[in-house]
Amino acid sequence: MGEAIVITSGKGGVGKTTTSANIGTALALQGKKVCLVDTDIGLRNLDVVMGLENRIIYDLVDVVEKRCKPHQALVKDKRFEDLLYLLPAAQTTDKSAVTPEQMKTLINDLKQDYDYIVIDCPAGIEQGYKNAVAGADKAIVVTTPEVSAVRDADRIIGLLEKEKDIEPPKLVINRIRNHMMKNGDMLDVDEITTHLSIELIGIVADDDEVIKASNHGEPIVLNPNNKASIAYRNIARRILGESIPLQPLEDQDKGVFTKLKRFFGAK
Amino acid sequence: MASAFPIEVKIFMKKRQNVIIKGTKEGLTLHLNDDCSFQELKDELDEKLSANERDHEKRPLIPVKLETGNRYLSEIQREELKSLVRQKKNLVVDEIESNVISKEEAEKTRRENEIISVARIIRSGQILEVQGDLLLFGDVNPGGKVIAGGNIFIMGALRGIAHAGCFGNKQAVIAASIMKPSQIRISDLINQTINRVRNDDNHEMECAYINHQEQIVVDRLQGLIHIRPDLTRLEGGR
Ligand SMILES: Nc1ncnc2c1ncn2[C@@H]1O[C@H](COP(=O)(O)OP(=O)(O)O)[C@@H](O)[C@H]1O
Ligand SMILES: [Mg+2]
């Protein structure tokens, strides 16, 4: 029986899809059997970031409406031996095509066959969000060091804390730019973590390579030498219960390291 | 035998006074019997006040205090008594005192005097509301809001909105370990900019209250001892 992790943020464009693709891929690199689920119905793009767009036959709505079996809709990532799959979102229908109850059933079914279900959540707090969190056991909230993104993350954390079946959410701070933090033009990591008061599970630098990799359908985490890639790999290892200190970004405030304890409990 | 009986009753009724009027320095106090029916009470009140009625046209209003003993008066009955008294030219009811209150009122008073403690972070979009005082262990984040009928004490950072004395209590205060609110409200006053009594940034606990100029100001927490001594509830504690 696997576990389902929803990747959410409230605000759009902060890196939910990028984080989902990279964490999912990193877990597969660790030998786990992973299924990525794109719940951003109408605006799907996890398939593009994963480079799996061309191989889609059925989608999430087809599965929910029983036009096909779940395994028929799953797109296998050929870079991995039977470890990484994607359930794409529908491109044509709208979010109301799926209900939270249906999602819960679907995710529970997938948990029988996979170690990890990584659910990419759409922006907002409406139906799409409710669908995405419906079957989740854990949640990762993604934010960037911007006031508006942190504010939305706070809102989402408040909602997640009300979900009885989801463990306290963990935080990923994405697109960190050291020079801006140093100049005080951006919120620093400490400010964000004290504001949100949830455990930090990773910080990812802002890096053009991330965008390039996504555009080529090759998640950055497949590149072993990139800094952002190492950050994502470390997040995956923390999810697996390893206790690794945060990647020392240059000039990073020391206070952060002590904040990082154990993530996602020992397994 | 049969003829004597009504006379006896009449004497008895004469003896028993349903309304006793006393003059005090402040005005009149009317002691109202709590044993008779409300109608009897009204009749006698009307009668007695009319008897005392003289031509007071030009005299100032005399405040009247009603003491109702163990009689519970509904809001309508209170109004009836008030208007009855008011009809007597220069009398006006200032206060109605009763030994009894309804269960509902008692409940309300209890709630308004209660300190509710909550351990939680009030996040963006969330509202926490209590009838009495609020003791919060946690932060109020930007976009979050706490509301209390009484005082608000925050063991944490106030970065959102806090509204104390929301039912109109101007004596209510707001205290926080870190006072960085986006807005402060006490009773019906609203402050978007924080008026600090001092201008040092000591990271001390601070409190907000309404000063004599009817403005919300922020001062060191220790200032409360002088400004709101009533915050001490310990009997003989001062
Ligand atoms: N760490 C990063 N460094 C640089 N660009 C990033 C990073 N993370 C995400 N991006 C870019 O930001 C944009 C939005 O990311 P995306 O994952 O689609 O956000 P969301 O799913 O939250 O809307 C994309 O162009 C993506 O490539
Ligand atoms: Mg997305």
Side-chain angles (χ1 to χ4, degrees), chain A residues 8-9 11-20 22 40 45 49 120-123 142 144 173-176 204-212 214-215 220 228 232:
Chain A
T8 179
S9 73
K11 192 170 163 25
V14 298
K16 291 178 292 297
T17 300
T18 308
T19 305
S20 303
N22 282 293
D40 202 348
N45 47 30
V49 173
D120 184 15
C121 178
V142 183
T144 58
I173 306 177
N174 191 24
R175 307 199 74 163
I176 278 186
V204 183
D206 186 76
D207 186 348
D208 291 348
E209 295 299 319
V210 173
I211 303 174
K212 271 194 231 166
S214 292
N215 285 340
I220 189 73
Y232 283 122

Side-chain angles (χ1 to χ4, degrees), chain B residues 171 173 197 207 209-212 217 219-231:
Chain B
Q171 296 292 307
V173 302
V197 172
C207 64
Y209 58 88
I210 298 180
N211 68 7
H212 296 306
V217 291
D219 195 0
R220 294 172 71 217
L221 186 72
Q222 286 76 0
L224 280 185
I225 299 165
H226 309 293
I227 294 148
R228 296 287 183 269
D230 291 349
L231 281 172

Side-chain angles (χ1 to χ4, degrees), chain A residues 151 154-155 157-159 161-162 194-198, chain B residues 120-126 139 141-144 159:
Chain A
R151 187 72 72 91
D154 195 41
R155 179 98 173 85
I157 293 165
L159 295 176
E161 284 172 343
K162 288 206 187 106
T194 38
H195 181 156
L196 297 178
S197 298
I198 60 170
Chain B
R120 211 181 105 188
I121 292 172
I122 310 304
R123 299 185 181 277
S124 178
Q126 296 182 329
D139 302 335
N141 280 351
R159 299 181 201 279

Side-chain angles (χ1 to χ4, degrees), chain A:
Chain A
M1 187 77 166
E3 62 184 34
I5 306 171
V6 62
I7 315 289
T8 179
S9 73
K11 192 170 163 25
V14 298
K16 291 178 292 297
T17 300
T18 308
T19 305
S20 303
N22 282 293
I23 290 179
T25 307
L27 285 168
L29 283 169
Q30 293 278 331
K32 296 295 168 189
K33 197 164 179 194
V34 178
C35 181
L36 300 167
V37 179
D38 189 351
T39 62
D40 202 348
I41 297 172
L43 284 171
R44 77 171 181 214
N45 47 30
L46 186 53
D47 53 318
V48 181
V49 173
M50 293 299 296
L52 300 172
E53 186 186 12
N54 300 337
R55 315 228 321 275
I56 295 175
I57 299 165
Y58 295 109
D59 58 44
L60 178 69
V61 175
D62 292 324
V63 175
V64 163
E65 293 184 348
K66 303 211 156 58
R67 281 193 287 271
C68 70
K69 291 264 178 317
H71 72 264
Q72 290 177 289
L74 292 173
V75 183
K76 181 174 165 177
D77 190 327
K78 287 184 177 155
R79 287 166 293 208
F80 292 84
E81 269 305 320
D82 197 34
L83 282 180
L84 188 56
Y85 289 80
L86 167 73
L87 178 55
Q91 187 67 292
T92 47
T93 26
D94 67 298
K95 290 179 173 43
S96 57
V98 179
T99 67
E101 290 69 36
Q102 289 171 321
M103 278 304 294
K104 204 167 181 163
T105 313
L106 171 66
I107 299 295
N108 275 333
D109 286 350
L110 291 171
K111 271 158 70 174
Q112 309 300 319
D113 299 324
Y114 293 86
D115 298 320
Y116 287 96
I117 321 294
V118 178
I119 306 163
D120 184 15
C121 178
I125 53 175
E126 312 301 329
Q127 176 87 21
Y129 161 81
K130 288 177 186 144
N131 284 341
V133 301
D137 305 302
K138 294 179 174 180
I140 290 177
V141 174
V142 183
T143 188
T144 58
E146 286 163 83
V147 173
S148 58
V150 173
R151 187 72 72 91
D152 286 359
D154 195 41
R155 179 98 173 85
I156 283 289
I157 293 165
L159 295 176
L160 286 168
E161 284 172 343
K162 288 206 187 106
E163 299 284 337
K164 297 266 177 310
D165 299 331
I166 301 183
E167 290 179 21
K170 307 288 158 81
L171 182 68
V172 167
I173 306 177
N174 191 24
R175 307 199 74 163
I176 278 186
R177 288 194 247 171
N178 276 323
H179 63 281
M180 287 189 77
M181 270 192 193
K182 215 166 74 184
N183 300 342
D185 295 328
M186 241 180 195
L187 297 173
D188 70 34
V189 173
D190 262 355
E191 275 177 287
I192 298 168
T193 49
T194 38
H195 181 156
L196 297 178
S197 298
I198 60 170
E199 263 182 272
L200 185 61
I201 196 174
I203 43 182
V204 183
D206 186 76
D207 186 348
D208 291 348
E209 295 299 319
V210 173
I211 303 174
K212 271 194 231 166
S214 292
N215 285 340
H216 288 118
E218 294 256 330
I220 189 73
V221 82
L222 292 170
N223 171 354
N225 300 317
N226 175 277
K227 256 190 172 176
S229 162
I230 294 166
Y232 283 122
R233 287 177 185 217
N234 284 342
I235 294 172
R237 288 167 62 192
R238 292 184 191 113
I239 290 173
L240 293 172
E242 279 186 56
S243 149
I244 352 166
L246 275 173
Q247 205 189 155
L249 293 174
E250 297 158 293
D251 306 316
Q252 193 56 63
D253 190 337
K254 279 275 190 309
V256 175
F257 300 101
T258 55
K259 283 218 175 79
L260 200 82
K261 285 171 266 155
R262 276 180 80 80
F263 297 96
F264 282 77
K267 281 196 75 186

